[in-house]
């Protein structure tokens, strides 16, 4: 099982923007040094707490600071810009990074982002589907492209201005061929979008704020999509994000990971709970769809979704989680605000050097694994 990193990220009100950006960059540099496979960075235009506005720009600053880690948009919100821009900027980034780009994509879920762009009333899922078709075609075709797909609002051509001798009207392609890996974040139980991912050989990343029983619904849908395309299925393709805190001392793990009023884990899930309540998606945190809303308390959400403890305890919890979901290829460690930088960095180090070796040894000894 690989180890990845994912940061939305979420910082408390009052912190300087430049300071949080430096902290988020430091976390990815540390992940690279510790051997994390990839780092996914989220983006929002209008969120005080999740204040990276463009994941590709942020990741570009990390190209010279990192050596091996794959740099992933987590996600590029495809409803926010013309797909031709995504295609050409992502292709350039792939060359800048030496072929380390993973293109994470989504429609863009935050309503205030849509409002500021004037698309609040539009079907962002439709925009997403149309955009991804254009991006893939632009990476596959030669100039002048002439992409005019039935029912797609985007048409892309350079037929009027294309001149091969002058070198204009030509779009650069990614370094990785035939294309970089494409990953879609999955935030809904029984997601039908996962079926489409499987059919197109995109890879799913199940969100860290989903209960294990909802995460487990993603793999059968992915398999269905793969089989519809006659493609082989590999659990290596599936990433699952989890909110994890590791400490040498169990009491410290409980305090910083859940109980303390200043815990970044408590802050994160308090905000997520409030957002999902406001969006009418509180069912994500319910054990049963018929549960009353008041059964969903912050303490219960923390108990359900935060894996905290000593290295031995966290390894046991990860393996128990895997028993609930089935095999998957990568555990993606969710990065939060560094309330205590020493504890935050130590947790990442313990995860890489103590937890994952135990997890992988157990998987090997069981005779099954990614």
């Amino acid at each position: 099982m690989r180890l990845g990193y994912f940061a939305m990220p979420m910082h408390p009100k009052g912190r300087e923007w430049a300071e949080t950006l430096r902290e988020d960059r430091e976390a990815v540099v540390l992940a690279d040094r510790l051997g994390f496979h990839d780092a996914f960075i989220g983006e929002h235009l209008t969120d005080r707490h999740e204040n990276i506005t463009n994941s590709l720009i942020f990741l570009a600053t990390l190209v010279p600071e990192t050596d091996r880690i794959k740099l992933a948009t987590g996600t590029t919100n495809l409803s926010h810009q013309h797909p031709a821009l995504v295609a050409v900027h992502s292709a350039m980034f792939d060359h800048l990074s030496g072929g380390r780009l993973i293109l994470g994509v989504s429609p863009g879920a935050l309503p205030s982002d849509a409002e500021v762009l004037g698309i609040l009333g539009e079907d962002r899922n439709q925009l997403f589907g149309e955009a991804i078709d254009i991006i893939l075609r632009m990476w596959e075709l030669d100039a002048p492209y002439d992409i005019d797909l039935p029912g797609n609002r985007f048409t892309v051509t350079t037929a009027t201005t294309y001149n091969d001798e002058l070198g204009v009207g030509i779009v650069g392609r990614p370094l990785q061929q035939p294309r970089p890996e494409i990953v879609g974040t999955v935030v809904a139980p029984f997601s039908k979008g996962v079926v489409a991912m499987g059919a197109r050989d995109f890879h799913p990343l199940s969100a860290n704020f989903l209960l294990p029983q909802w995460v487990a619904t993603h793999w059968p849908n992915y398999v269905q999509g793969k089989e519809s395309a006659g493609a082989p299925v590999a659990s290596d393709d599936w990433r699952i994000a989890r909110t994890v805190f590791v400490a040498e001392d169990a009491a410290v793990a409980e305090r910083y990971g859940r109980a303390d009023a200043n815990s970044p884990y408590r802050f994160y899930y308090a905000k997520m709970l409030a957002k999902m309540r406001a969006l009418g998606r509180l069912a994500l945190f319910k054990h049963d769809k018929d549960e009353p809303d008041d059964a969903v308390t912050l303490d219960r959400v923390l108990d359900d979704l935060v894996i905290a403890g000593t290295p031995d305890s966290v390894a046991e919890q990860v393996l128990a989680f895997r028993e609930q979901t089935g095999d998957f290829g990568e555990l993606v460690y969710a990065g939060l605000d560094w309330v205590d930088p020493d504890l935050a960095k130590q947790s990442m180090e313990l995860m890489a050097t103590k937890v994952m070796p135990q997890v992988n040894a157990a998987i090997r000894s069981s005779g099954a694994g990614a």
Side-chain angles (χ1 to χ4, degrees), residues 196-363:
M197 286 185 204
R200 304 192 72 165
D201 194 29
F202 302 168
H203 298 159
L205 168 54
S206 299
N208 61 302
F209 50 81
L210 288 176
L211 295 170
Q213 61 263 39
W214 304 141
V215 173
T217 67
H218 295 163
W219 183 247
N221 282 5
Y222 185 69
V223 171
Q224 179 185 336
K226 283 292 218 180
E227 291 177 343
S228 73
V233 181
S235 60
D236 243 18
D237 294 345
W238 190 18
R239 293 171 170 88
I240 301 179
R242 289 290 92 182
T243 315
V244 182
F245 177 66
V246 196
E248 294 283 13
D249 182 272
V252 172
E254 176 61 25
R255 174 181 61 79
Y256 192 78
R258 289 193 186 93
D260 193 277
N262 292 322
S263 162
Y265 295 78
R266 196 170 191 86
F267 171 78
Y268 174 86
Y269 276 109
K271 291 297 180 186
M272 288 301 299
L273 189 55
K275 283 184 177 182
M276 295 305 171
R277 196 183 298 275
L279 291 170
R281 302 187 66 184
L282 199 61
L284 288 177
F285 300 126
K286 292 184 177 182
H287 294 177
D288 180 90
K289 64 181 179 66
D290 296 322
E291 271 193 324
D293 287 357
D294 58 13
V296 182
T297 65
L298 176 57
D299 284 325
R300 193 182 84 170
V301 168
L302 289 164
D303 287 341
D304 287 341
L305 294 174
V306 176
I307 296 174
T310 64
D312 290 349
S313 172
V314 169
E316 290 173 2
Q317 292 176 70
V318 169
L319 290 166
F321 173 78
R322 181 174 173 270
E323 288 295 318
Q324 293 178 275
T325 62
D327 193 23
F328 56 96
E330 182 172 315
L331 179 69
V332 183
Y333 180 104
L336 305 182
D337 185 84
W338 284 4
V339 171
D340 185 322
D342 290 338
L343 287 178
K345 287 184 274 192
Q346 182 191 61
S347 176
M348 291 178 65
E349 291 169 358
L350 292 172
M351 189 71 191
T353 62
K354 293 192 175 182
V355 174
M356 294 308 293
Q358 286 190 55
V359 168
N360 282 315
I363 292 172

Side-chain angles (χ1 to χ4, degrees), residues 5 24-25 27-32 36-42 55-74 76 90 93-104 176 180-183 239 330:
Y5 180 80
D24 296 331
R25 292 181 72 255
V28 178
V29 172
L30 176 60
D32 179 58
F36 283 58
H37 178 73
D38 44 37
F40 289 82
I41 301 297
S55 54
L56 207 60
I57 292 174
F58 176 85
L59 290 168
T61 71
L62 288 159
V63 170
E65 303 295 329
T66 57
D67 296 317
R68 299 176 304 278
I69 195 167
K70 288 186 173 289
L71 301 171
T73 61
T76 294
S90 298
F93 181 92
D94 199 35
H95 286 268
L96 283 172
S97 65
R100 288 193 281 149
L101 171 68
I102 298 173
L103 182 62
Q176 299 176 79
E181 180 182 8
I182 296 178
V183 171
R239 293 171 170 88
E330 182 172 315

Side-chain angles (χ1 to χ4, degrees), residues 142-144 158 161-170:
D142 294 324
T158 58
T161 55
Y162 170 64
N163 186 313
D164 187 59
E165 184 176 347
L166 294 177
V168 298
I170 301 166

